[in-house]
Amino acid sequence: MTEPLAQGSTIGILGGGQLGRMLAMAAARLGYKTHVFEPGSAPAADVAHRWTQAGYDDLDALRAFAEACDVITFEFENIPADALDALSGTTPLFPDRRALETSQDRLIEKAFLRDQGLATAPFAPLGSDVHAALSATGTPAILKTRRFGYDGKGQARIMAPDGAEAAFASLGGAPAIAEGFVDFSKEISVIAARGQDGAVAVFDPGENVHQDGILSVTTVPAAISATLRTDAVLIASRILTALDYVGVLGVELFVTPAGLVVNEIAPRVHNSGHWTQAGCAVDQFEQHIRAITGWPLGDGTRHANVTMENLIGEDVERAAALAGEPGVQIHLYGKSETRPGRKMGHINRVTGPA
Ligand code: AMP
């Protein structure tokens, strides 16, 4: 076994949101410093050793950042290719560029999943003729921009072919794909990790409920059959191995009568994995830090049933009232401004032993 990164080394984190904040806290527990790169406001910087506040087009700042770090990771996937060029060669990046580029673009991502033999929604690239794409996917369909989509943004639904032009126009000309509508009974996700030695650890799948396109609640265990639970684990393992991945990955899945359909992958810690903070000896944040610094992966066995609830916008005002409830763990992100739709914190409620 190779030795883990030395104590006191610096982990660079691209992106300074709440995911970066919780990664930085896990890194500190393992004796590491963190250096956050974030152009905007940075909840992660409050708990990091250093913060470079610069844009992803500031290549000099990126080079200096890379030189100051011993390993680099990221908490969001929309890092431009030029920025990756500026970082490359100096300092190891985990997960690597291929994982990032596969998940940054919905067309590349879907083609990769299909090549792995995994079920996805029927899909087609969207050229100038929206009806040509719809003939491959059928209707209803969803148009999605290939890049920069999150929380349901950059999407337009087409219920019948005569709504196609209006939906197409609403994307404003951004490169996009059409996806056939999947008739699912529920949405689940599975969070998994792969270490530098190739070992894989998969957390139990969680069941997700969204509101207005934003994750609202994750419940573990998901109410699915043992077969589907095993399938979810196998799907995640397959993706990790195919990408020669190092770090934590989130896989969002639809449950259908024909089995699991992969919606998308996120090459990072994931909101639907926050329950692991209360449900496992080693949570997704520590697991990611272990993977990228060369520690053995930890025990991600679920020891509790947990409901994770996001505190979105004014929900955060309930935090103090929730704090006294049995089994409730509170996580606040330190964001000074509350805005509708903004993730301000979350709670993990332990509902019983596993
Ligand atoms: P996404 O940004 O791709 O995760 O999509 C956001 C949400 O839209 C998902 O969580 C689903 O609820 C829904 N959705 C996305 N793609 C499809 C699809 N092909 N069929 C049905 N629902 C979908």
Side-chain angles (χ1 to χ4, degrees), residues 175-209:
I177 63 167
E179 260 185 53
F181 209 79
V182 177
D183 190 14
F184 59 83
S185 57
K186 58 181 69 182
E187 295 186 73
I188 64 168
S189 57
V190 60
I191 313 298
R194 187 166 176 275
Q196 290 179 14
D197 58 357
V200 167
V202 186
F203 292 107
D204 212 9
E207 188 168 329
N208 300 323
V209 175

PDB file of all heavy atoms in Angstrom, residues 175-209:
ATOM      1  N   PRO A 175     -26.369  24.287 -26.878  1.00  0.00           N
ATOM      2  CA  PRO A 175     -26.335  22.883 -27.300  1.00  0.00           C
ATOM      3  C   PRO A 175     -27.128  22.034 -26.309  1.00  0.00           C
ATOM      4  O   PRO A 175     -27.011  22.217 -25.089  1.00  0.00           O
ATOM      5  CB  PRO A 175     -24.850  22.520 -27.263  1.00  0.00           C
ATOM      6  CG  PRO A 175     -24.129  23.821 -27.323  1.00  0.00           C
ATOM      7  CD  PRO A 175     -25.016  24.841 -26.681  1.00  0.00           C
ATOM      8  N   ALA A 176     -27.941  21.123 -26.838  1.00  0.00           N
ATOM      9  CA  ALA A 176     -28.873  20.400 -25.959  1.00  0.00           C
ATOM     10  C   ALA A 176     -29.107  18.982 -26.464  1.00  0.00           C
ATOM     11  O   ALA A 176     -28.687  18.620 -27.565  1.00  0.00           O
ATOM     12  CB  ALA A 176     -30.194  21.157 -25.890  1.00  0.00           C
ATOM     13  N   ILE A 177     -29.752  18.196 -25.620  1.00  0.00           N
ATOM     14  CA  ILE A 177     -30.203  16.865 -26.039  1.00  0.00           C
ATOM     15  C   ILE A 177     -31.699  16.757 -25.754  1.00  0.00           C
ATOM     16  O   ILE A 177     -32.250  17.514 -24.947  1.00  0.00           O
ATOM     17  CB  ILE A 177     -29.473  15.708 -25.316  1.00  0.00           C
ATOM     18  CG1 ILE A 177     -29.738  15.732 -23.802  1.00  0.00           C
ATOM     19  CG2 ILE A 177     -27.982  15.730 -25.589  1.00  0.00           C
ATOM     20  CD1 ILE A 177     -29.310  14.438 -23.104  1.00  0.00           C
ATOM     21  N   ALA A 178     -32.321  15.809 -26.452  1.00  0.00           N
ATOM     22  CA  ALA A 178     -33.699  15.444 -26.121  1.00  0.00           C
ATOM     23  C   ALA A 178     -33.648  14.108 -25.400  1.00  0.00           C
ATOM     24  O   ALA A 178     -32.853  13.230 -25.750  1.00  0.00           O
ATOM     25  CB  ALA A 178     -34.524  15.326 -27.395  1.00  0.00           C
ATOM     26  N   GLU A 179     -34.487  14.001 -24.369  1.00  0.00           N
ATOM     27  CA  GLU A 179     -34.566  12.743 -23.621  1.00  0.00           C
ATOM     28  C   GLU A 179     -36.007  12.297 -23.569  1.00  0.00           C
ATOM     29  O   GLU A 179     -36.901  13.096 -23.244  1.00  0.00           O
ATOM     30  CB  GLU A 179     -34.160  13.001 -22.159  1.00  0.00           C
ATOM     31  CG  GLU A 179     -32.755  12.624 -21.830  1.00  0.00           C
ATOM     32  CD  GLU A 179     -32.501  12.799 -20.345  1.00  0.00           C
ATOM     33  OE1 GLU A 179     -33.247  12.258 -19.505  1.00  0.00           O
ATOM     34  OE2 GLU A 179     -31.549  13.517 -20.046  1.00  0.00           O
ATOM     35  N   GLY A 180     -36.268  11.035 -23.880  1.00  0.00           N
ATOM     36  CA  GLY A 180     -37.616  10.500 -23.708  1.00  0.00           C
ATOM     37  C   GLY A 180     -37.986  10.496 -22.239  1.00  0.00           C
ATOM     38  O   GLY A 180     -37.118  10.374 -21.360  1.00  0.00           O
ATOM     39  N   PHE A 181     -39.263  10.649 -21.973  1.00  0.00           N
ATOM     40  CA  PHE A 181     -39.749  10.703 -20.600  1.00  0.00           C
ATOM     41  C   PHE A 181     -39.731   9.306 -19.991  1.00  0.00           C
ATOM     42  O   PHE A 181     -40.222   8.355 -20.586  1.00  0.00           O
ATOM     43  CB  PHE A 181     -41.176  11.247 -20.613  1.00  0.00           C
ATOM     44  CG  PHE A 181     -41.525  11.983 -19.370  1.00  0.00           C
ATOM     45  CD1 PHE A 181     -41.091  13.287 -19.176  1.00  0.00           C
ATOM     46  CD2 PHE A 181     -42.276  11.372 -18.384  1.00  0.00           C
ATOM     47  CE1 PHE A 181     -41.404  13.963 -18.016  1.00  0.00           C
ATOM     48  CE2 PHE A 181     -42.584  12.050 -17.221  1.00  0.00           C
ATOM     49  CZ  PHE A 181     -42.157  13.345 -17.036  1.00  0.00           C
ATOM     50  N   VAL A 182     -39.148   9.173 -18.822  1.00  0.00           N
ATOM     51  CA  VAL A 182     -39.107   7.875 -18.138  1.00  0.00           C
ATOM     52  C   VAL A 182     -40.266   7.823 -17.147  1.00  0.00           C
ATOM     53  O   VAL A 182     -40.420   8.719 -16.316  1.00  0.00           O
ATOM     54  CB  VAL A 182     -37.765   7.696 -17.386  1.00  0.00           C
ATOM     55  CG1 VAL A 182     -37.743   6.385 -16.624  1.00  0.00           C
ATOM     56  CG2 VAL A 182     -36.599   7.768 -18.358  1.00  0.00           C
ATOM     57  N   ASP A 183     -41.053   6.780 -17.243  1.00  0.00           N
ATOM     58  CA  ASP A 183     -42.209   6.639 -16.356  1.00  0.00           C
ATOM     59  C   ASP A 183     -41.738   5.917 -15.087  1.00  0.00           C
ATOM     60  O   ASP A 183     -41.755   4.692 -15.011  1.00  0.00           O
ATOM     61  CB  ASP A 183     -43.287   5.829 -17.092  1.00  0.00           C
ATOM     62  CG  ASP A 183     -44.591   5.864 -16.327  1.00  0.00           C
ATOM     63  OD1 ASP A 183     -44.719   6.697 -15.409  1.00  0.00           O
ATOM     64  OD2 ASP A 183     -45.476   5.042 -16.640  1.00  0.00           O
ATOM     65  N   PHE A 184     -41.277   6.695 -14.126  1.00  0.00           N
ATOM     66  CA  PHE A 184     -40.673   6.077 -12.933  1.00  0.00           C
ATOM     67  C   PHE A 184     -41.614   6.131 -11.737  1.00  0.00           C
ATOM     68  O   PHE A 184     -42.476   7.001 -11.651  1.00  0.00           O
ATOM     69  CB  PHE A 184     -39.333   6.737 -12.604  1.00  0.00           C
ATOM     70  CG  PHE A 184     -39.391   8.212 -12.336  1.00  0.00           C
ATOM     71  CD1 PHE A 184     -39.731   8.703 -11.088  1.00  0.00           C
ATOM     72  CD2 PHE A 184     -39.073   9.125 -13.336  1.00  0.00           C
ATOM     73  CE1 PHE A 184     -39.772  10.060 -10.834  1.00  0.00           C
ATOM     74  CE2 PHE A 184     -39.108  10.506 -13.097  1.00  0.00           C
ATOM     75  CZ  PHE A 184     -39.457  10.961 -11.841  1.00  0.00           C
ATOM     76  N   SER A 185     -41.419   5.183 -10.800  1.00  0.00           N
ATOM     77  CA  SER A 185     -42.238   5.191  -9.584  1.00  0.00           C
ATOM     78  C   SER A 185     -41.549   5.979  -8.475  1.00  0.00           C
ATOM     79  O   SER A 185     -42.193   6.533  -7.597  1.00  0.00           O
ATOM     80  CB  SER A 185     -42.526   3.773  -9.112  1.00  0.00           C
ATOM     81  OG  SER A 185     -41.312   3.081  -8.908  1.00  0.00           O
ATOM     82  N   LYS A 186     -40.230   5.995  -8.494  1.00  0.00           N
ATOM     83  CA  LYS A 186     -39.512   6.812  -7.508  1.00  0.00           C
ATOM     84  C   LYS A 186     -38.098   7.095  -8.004  1.00  0.00           C
ATOM     85  O   LYS A 186     -37.621   6.444  -8.947  1.00  0.00           O
ATOM     86  CB  LYS A 186     -39.495   6.169  -6.124  1.00  0.00           C
ATOM     87  CG  LYS A 186     -38.894   4.797  -6.057  1.00  0.00           C
ATOM     88  CD  LYS A 186     -38.955   4.251  -4.635  1.00  0.00           C
ATOM     89  CE  LYS A 186     -40.387   3.943  -4.215  1.00  0.00           C
ATOM     90  NZ  LYS A 186     -40.515   3.459  -2.856  1.00  0.00           N
ATOM     91  N   GLU A 187     -37.479   8.074  -7.362  1.00  0.00           N
ATOM     92  CA  GLU A 187     -36.087   8.410  -7.681  1.00  0.00           C
ATOM     93  C   GLU A 187     -35.220   7.989  -6.498  1.00  0.00           C
ATOM     94  O   GLU A 187     -35.545   8.287  -5.347  1.00  0.00           O
ATOM     95  CB  GLU A 187     -35.939   9.911  -7.924  1.00  0.00           C
ATOM     96  CG  GLU A 187     -36.699  10.370  -9.159  1.00  0.00           C
ATOM     97  CD  GLU A 187     -36.447  11.834  -9.485  1.00  0.00           C
ATOM     98  OE1 GLU A 187     -35.355  12.162  -9.966  1.00  0.00           O
ATOM     99  OE2 GLU A 187     -37.346  12.650  -9.252  1.00  0.00           O
ATOM    100  N   ILE A 188     -34.136   7.302  -6.814  1.00  0.00           N
ATOM    101  CA  ILE A 188     -33.183   6.931  -5.771  1.00  0.00           C
ATOM    102  C   ILE A 188     -31.798   7.407  -6.210  1.00  0.00           C
ATOM    103  O   ILE A 188     -31.600   7.793  -7.372  1.00  0.00           O
ATOM    104  CB  ILE A 188     -33.168   5.408  -5.493  1.00  0.00           C
ATOM    105  CG1 ILE A 188     -32.684   4.617  -6.716  1.00  0.00           C
ATOM    106  CG2 ILE A 188     -34.537   4.923  -5.053  1.00  0.00           C
ATOM    107  CD1 ILE A 188     -32.376   3.151  -6.399  1.00  0.00           C
ATOM    108  N   SER A 189     -30.867   7.388  -5.286  1.00  0.00           N
ATOM    109  CA  SER A 189     -29.487   7.680  -5.666  1.00  0.00           C
ATOM    110  C   SER A 189     -28.565   6.814  -4.839  1.00  0.00           C
ATOM    111  O   SER A 189     -28.932   6.351  -3.750  1.00  0.00           O
ATOM    112  CB  SER A 189     -29.149   9.160  -5.469  1.00  0.00           C
ATOM    113  OG  SER A 189     -29.375   9.509  -4.131  1.00  0.00           O
ATOM    114  N   VAL A 190     -27.411   6.597  -5.402  1.00  0.00           N
ATOM    115  CA  VAL A 190     -26.432   5.790  -4.690  1.00  0.00           C
ATOM    116  C   VAL A 190     -25.103   6.555  -4.731  1.00  0.00           C
ATOM    117  O   VAL A 190     -24.736   7.132  -5.755  1.00  0.00           O
ATOM    118  CB  VAL A 190     -26.367   4.356  -5.281  1.00  0.00           C
ATOM    119  CG1 VAL A 190     -25.983   4.337  -6.729  1.00  0.00           C
ATOM    120  CG2 VAL A 190     -25.461   3.456  -4.480  1.00  0.00           C
ATOM    121  N   ILE A 191     -24.474   6.619  -3.572  1.00  0.00           N
ATOM    122  CA  ILE A 191     -23.213   7.336  -3.427  1.00  0.00           C
ATOM    123  C   ILE A 191     -22.123   6.288  -3.231  1.00  0.00           C
ATOM    124  O   ILE A 191     -22.277   5.391  -2.397  1.00  0.00           O
ATOM    125  CB  ILE A 191     -23.247   8.274  -2.187  1.00  0.00           C
ATOM    126  CG1 ILE A 191     -24.532   9.112  -2.140  1.00  0.00           C
ATOM    127  CG2 ILE A 191     -22.001   9.142  -2.105  1.00  0.00           C
ATOM    128  CD1 ILE A 191     -24.749  10.045  -3.283  1.00  0.00           C
ATOM    129  N   ALA A 192     -21.078   6.394  -4.005  1.00  0.00           N
ATOM    130  CA  ALA A 192     -20.060   5.337  -3.970  1.00  0.00           C
ATOM    131  C   ALA A 192     -18.683   5.977  -4.038  1.00  0.00           C
ATOM    132  O   ALA A 192     -18.526   7.114  -4.492  1.00  0.00           O
ATOM    133  CB  ALA A 192     -20.259   4.391  -5.155  1.00  0.00           C
ATOM    134  N   ALA A 193     -17.681   5.225  -3.595  1.00  0.00           N
ATOM    135  CA  ALA A 193     -16.319   5.753  -3.584  1.00  0.00           C
ATOM    136  C   ALA A 193     -15.358   4.708  -4.133  1.00  0.00           C
ATOM    137  O   ALA A 193     -15.586   3.509  -4.002  1.00  0.00           O
ATOM    138  CB  ALA A 193     -15.905   6.104  -2.153  1.00  0.00           C
ATOM    139  N   ARG A 194     -14.303   5.199  -4.761  1.00  0.00           N
ATOM    140  CA  ARG A 194     -13.222   4.301  -5.193  1.00  0.00           C
ATOM    141  C   ARG A 194     -11.896   4.910  -4.756  1.00  0.00           C
ATOM    142  O   ARG A 194     -11.662   6.119  -4.932  1.00  0.00           O
ATOM    143  CB  ARG A 194     -13.269   4.113  -6.701  1.00  0.00           C
ATOM    144  CG  ARG A 194     -12.290   3.071  -7.235  1.00  0.00           C
ATOM    145  CD  ARG A 194     -12.648   2.717  -8.678  1.00  0.00           C
ATOM    146  NE  ARG A 194     -11.676   1.803  -9.264  1.00  0.00           N
ATOM    147  CZ  ARG A 194     -10.542   2.185  -9.842  1.00  0.00           C
ATOM    148  NH1 ARG A 194     -10.217   3.467  -9.905  1.00  0.00           N
ATOM    149  NH2 ARG A 194      -9.726   1.292 -10.350  1.00  0.00           N
ATOM    150  N   GLY A 195     -11.055   4.074  -4.166  1.00  0.00           N
ATOM    151  CA  GLY A 195      -9.770   4.540  -3.656  1.00  0.00           C
ATOM    152  C   GLY A 195      -8.691   4.467  -4.722  1.00  0.00           C
ATOM    153  O   GLY A 195      -8.897   3.924  -5.814  1.00  0.00           O
ATOM    154  N   GLN A 196      -7.519   4.994  -4.383  1.00  0.00           N
ATOM    155  CA  GLN A 196      -6.406   4.960  -5.338  1.00  0.00           C
ATOM    156  C   GLN A 196      -5.946   3.534  -5.608  1.00  0.00           C
ATOM    157  O   GLN A 196      -5.341   3.254  -6.632  1.00  0.00           O
ATOM    158  CB  GLN A 196      -5.247   5.819  -4.820  1.00  0.00           C
ATOM    159  CG  GLN A 196      -5.594   7.294  -4.858  1.00  0.00           C
ATOM    160  CD  GLN A 196      -4.489   8.194  -4.338  1.00  0.00           C
ATOM    161  OE1 GLN A 196      -3.346   7.783  -4.169  1.00  0.00           O
ATOM    162  NE2 GLN A 196      -4.836   9.437  -4.071  1.00  0.00           N
ATOM    163  N   ASP A 197      -6.248   2.620  -4.669  1.00  0.00           N
ATOM    164  CA  ASP A 197      -5.883   1.207  -4.856  1.00  0.00           C
ATOM    165  C   ASP A 197      -6.953   0.432  -5.623  1.00  0.00           C
ATOM    166  O   ASP A 197      -6.834  -0.771  -5.807  1.00  0.00           O
ATOM    167  CB  ASP A 197      -5.653   0.552  -3.483  1.00  0.00           C
ATOM    168  CG  ASP A 197      -6.890   0.654  -2.589  1.00  0.00           C
ATOM    169  OD1 ASP A 197      -7.896   1.272  -3.003  1.00  0.00           O
ATOM    170  OD2 ASP A 197      -6.848   0.118  -1.462  1.00  0.00           O
ATOM    171  N   GLY A 198      -8.029   1.105  -6.059  1.00  0.00           N
ATOM    172  CA  GLY A 198      -9.079   0.429  -6.827  1.00  0.00           C
ATOM    173  C   GLY A 198     -10.182  -0.172  -5.965  1.00  0.00           C
ATOM    174  O   GLY A 198     -11.160  -0.696  -6.502  1.00  0.00           O
ATOM    175  N   ALA A 199     -10.056  -0.071  -4.640  1.00  0.00           N
ATOM    176  CA  ALA A 199     -11.122  -0.592  -3.768  1.00  0.00           C
ATOM    177  C   ALA A 199     -12.375   0.277  -3.924  1.00  0.00           C
ATOM    178  O   ALA A 199     -12.284   1.490  -4.113  1.00  0.00           O
ATOM    179  CB  ALA A 199     -10.658  -0.564  -2.314  1.00  0.00           C
ATOM    180  N   VAL A 200     -13.534  -0.376  -3.847  1.00  0.00           N
ATOM    181  CA  VAL A 200     -14.804   0.336  -4.000  1.00  0.00           C
ATOM    182  C   VAL A 200     -15.640   0.164  -2.738  1.00  0.00           C
ATOM    183  O   VAL A 200     -15.677  -0.921  -2.161  1.00  0.00           O
ATOM    184  CB  VAL A 200     -15.566  -0.222  -5.235  1.00  0.00           C
ATOM    185  CG1 VAL A 200     -17.009   0.247  -5.255  1.00  0.00           C
ATOM    186  CG2 VAL A 200     -14.851   0.191  -6.520  1.00  0.00           C
ATOM    187  N   ALA A 201     -16.291   1.240  -2.296  1.00  0.00           N
ATOM    188  CA  ALA A 201     -17.227   1.160  -1.171  1.00  0.00           C
ATOM    189  C   ALA A 201     -18.491   1.894  -1.591  1.00  0.00           C
ATOM    190  O   ALA A 201     -18.413   3.012  -2.105  1.00  0.00           O
ATOM    191  CB  ALA A 201     -16.627   1.812   0.076  1.00  0.00           C
ATOM    192  N   VAL A 202     -19.631   1.265  -1.393  1.00  0.00           N
ATOM    193  CA  VAL A 202     -20.889   1.853  -1.865  1.00  0.00           C
ATOM    194  C   VAL A 202     -21.821   2.046  -0.671  1.00  0.00           C
ATOM    195  O   VAL A 202     -22.052   1.108   0.099  1.00  0.00           O
ATOM    196  CB  VAL A 202     -21.558   0.937  -2.919  1.00  0.00           C
ATOM    197  CG1 VAL A 202     -22.787   1.625  -3.500  1.00  0.00           C
ATOM    198  CG2 VAL A 202     -20.574   0.586  -4.033  1.00  0.00           C
ATOM    199  N   PHE A 203     -22.342   3.249  -0.518  1.00  0.00           N
ATOM    200  CA  PHE A 203     -23.330   3.505   0.538  1.00  0.00           C
ATOM    201  C   PHE A 203     -24.687   2.957   0.097  1.00  0.00           C
ATOM    202  O   PHE A 203     -24.962   2.820  -1.104  1.00  0.00           O
ATOM    203  CB  PHE A 203     -23.448   5.014   0.802  1.00  0.00           C
ATOM    204  CG  PHE A 203     -22.224   5.633   1.429  1.00  0.00           C
ATOM    205  CD1 PHE A 203     -21.379   6.446   0.686  1.00  0.00           C
ATOM    206  CD2 PHE A 203     -21.927   5.416   2.768  1.00  0.00           C
ATOM    207  CE1 PHE A 203     -20.257   7.036   1.256  1.00  0.00           C
ATOM    208  CE2 PHE A 203     -20.802   6.006   3.354  1.00  0.00           C
ATOM    209  CZ  PHE A 203     -19.964   6.817   2.597  1.00  0.00           C
ATOM    210  N   ASP A 204     -25.527   2.686   1.081  1.00  0.00           N
ATOM    211  CA  ASP A 204     -26.870   2.187   0.794  1.00  0.00           C
ATOM    212  C   ASP A 204     -27.645   3.225  -0.049  1.00  0.00           C
ATOM    213  O   ASP A 204     -27.532   4.423   0.211  1.00  0.00           O
ATOM    214  CB  ASP A 204     -27.577   1.983   2.148  1.00  0.00           C
ATOM    215  CG  ASP A 204     -28.548   0.838   2.109  1.00  0.00           C
ATOM    216  OD1 ASP A 204     -28.569   0.090   1.114  1.00  0.00           O
ATOM    217  OD2 ASP A 204     -29.311   0.693   3.084  1.00  0.00           O
ATOM    218  N   PRO A 205     -28.434   2.792  -1.034  1.00  0.00           N
ATOM    219  CA  PRO A 205     -29.189   3.762  -1.828  1.00  0.00           C
ATOM    220  C   PRO A 205     -30.208   4.535  -0.975  1.00  0.00           C
ATOM    221  O   PRO A 205     -30.773   3.982  -0.031  1.00  0.00           O
ATOM    222  CB  PRO A 205     -29.929   2.896  -2.856  1.00  0.00           C
ATOM    223  CG  PRO A 205     -29.220   1.597  -2.881  1.00  0.00           C
ATOM    224  CD  PRO A 205     -28.601   1.415  -1.533  1.00  0.00           C
ATOM    225  N   GLY A 206     -30.410   5.784  -1.307  1.00  0.00           N
ATOM    226  CA  GLY A 206     -31.406   6.614  -0.634  1.00  0.00           C
ATOM    227  C   GLY A 206     -32.530   6.960  -1.592  1.00  0.00           C
ATOM    228  O   GLY A 206     -32.346   6.960  -2.810  1.00  0.00           O
ATOM    229  N   GLU A 207     -33.688   7.246  -1.020  1.00  0.00           N
ATOM    230  CA  GLU A 207     -34.859   7.589  -1.835  1.00  0.00           C
ATOM    231  C   GLU A 207     -35.049   9.102  -1.778  1.00  0.00           C
ATOM    232  O   GLU A 207     -35.056   9.683  -0.696  1.00  0.00           O
ATOM    233  CB  GLU A 207     -36.058   6.868  -1.226  1.00  0.00           C
ATOM    234  CG  GLU A 207     -37.288   6.956  -2.057  1.00  0.00           C
ATOM    235  CD  GLU A 207     -38.348   5.965  -1.549  1.00  0.00           C
ATOM    236  OE1 GLU A 207     -38.001   4.889  -1.010  1.00  0.00           O
ATOM    237  OE2 GLU A 207     -39.525   6.304  -1.702  1.00  0.00           O
ATOM    238  N   ASN A 208     -35.196   9.729  -2.937  1.00  0.00           N
ATOM    239  CA  ASN A 208     -35.187  11.190  -2.993  1.00  0.00           C
ATOM    240  C   ASN A 208     -36.535  11.766  -3.409  1.00  0.00           C
ATOM    241  O   ASN A 208     -37.178  11.249  -4.312  1.00  0.00           O
ATOM    242  CB  ASN A 208     -34.144  11.667  -4.012  1.00  0.00           C
ATOM    243  CG  ASN A 208     -32.751  11.196  -3.644  1.00  0.00           C
ATOM    244  OD1 ASN A 208     -32.410  11.150  -2.462  1.00  0.00           O
ATOM    245  ND2 ASN A 208     -31.962  10.823  -4.634  1.00  0.00           N
ATOM    246  N   VAL A 209     -36.906  12.860  -2.757  1.00  0.00           N
ATOM    247  CA  VAL A 209     -38.098  13.608  -3.166  1.00  0.00           C
ATOM    248  C   VAL A 209     -37.650  15.028  -3.482  1.00  0.00           C
ATOM    249  O   VAL A 209     -36.924  15.650  -2.682  1.00  0.00           O
ATOM    250  CB  VAL A 209     -39.159  13.610  -2.037  1.00  0.00           C
ATOM    251  CG1 VAL A 209     -40.344  14.490  -2.417  1.00  0.00           C
ATOM    252  CG2 VAL A 209     -39.624  12.192  -1.750  1.00  0.00           C
TER     253      VAL A 209
END
